[in-house]
Amino acid sequence: QVQLVESGGGLVQAGGSLRLSCAASGGTFSTMGWFRQAPGKEREFVAAIWWSGPGTDYADSVKGRFTISRDNAKNTVYLQMKSLKPEDTAVYYCAAGSRSLFRIVDDYDYWGQGTQVTVSS
């Protein structure tokens, strides 16, 4: 059975940094991504990573501040977040799928439980 387990969320001050981890097991995937959801908001795309092409993609709102990467030996994907802003506050979800598209929720087959990120002013 496929499992995605996120960790690394917490409370940071604006301008600070945080790294999220997603440990994957039970399957192989062509694409893995990060989404986030704030209270009263739709779940939105943050970043994705895959095997072919340029390898990564980012939402405009986080481009230049967030970096997605993977450790193949550990079957783990990371999201390094820098220059954090209060508007980055949300539950962050790891996702995995086999489709060629990657920017909407329906592009993914599996989801982690989420990890809370809170950025204070």
Side-chain angles (χ1 to χ4, degrees):
Q1 184 176 359
V2 172
Q3 288 188 334
L4 304 177
V5 181
E6 301 104 328
S7 62
L11 173 65
V12 297
Q13 294 183 358
S17 299
L18 199 64
R19 189 176 77 157
L20 307 182
S21 299
C22 174
S25 63
T28 56
F29 316 103
S30 61
T31 306
M32 296 189 68
W34 288 95
F35 286 71
R36 66 187 183 186
Q37 187 169 22
K41 302 287 187 178
E42 298 289 329
R43 189 170 299 188
E44 65 174 354
F45 170 77
V46 175
I49 188 167
W50 58 92
W51 289 107
S52 61
T56 60
D57 193 66
Y58 300 90
D60 289 342
S61 60
V62 307
K63 195 171 298 181
R65 299 189 297 121
F66 291 11
T67 302
I68 188 171
S69 62
R70 69 165 77 233
D71 185 332
N72 291 337
K74 296 182 178 180
N75 295 317
T76 299
V77 64
Y78 304 95
L79 185 68
Q80 179 67 55
M81 304 182 293
K82 300 179 180 178
S83 301
L84 283 162
K85 306 173 181 179
E87 50 263 46
D88 294 319
T89 296
V91 176
Y92 283 70
Y93 296 91
C94 179
S98 59
R99 300 176 179 84
S100 60
L101 303 177
F102 53 86
R103 279 184 167 265
I104 64 174
V105 168
D106 288 349
D107 291 333
Y108 295 86
D109 301 306
Y110 307 101
W111 294 85
Q113 80 285 356
T115 185
Q116 175 70 234
V117 172
T118 302
V119 184
S120 64
S121 301

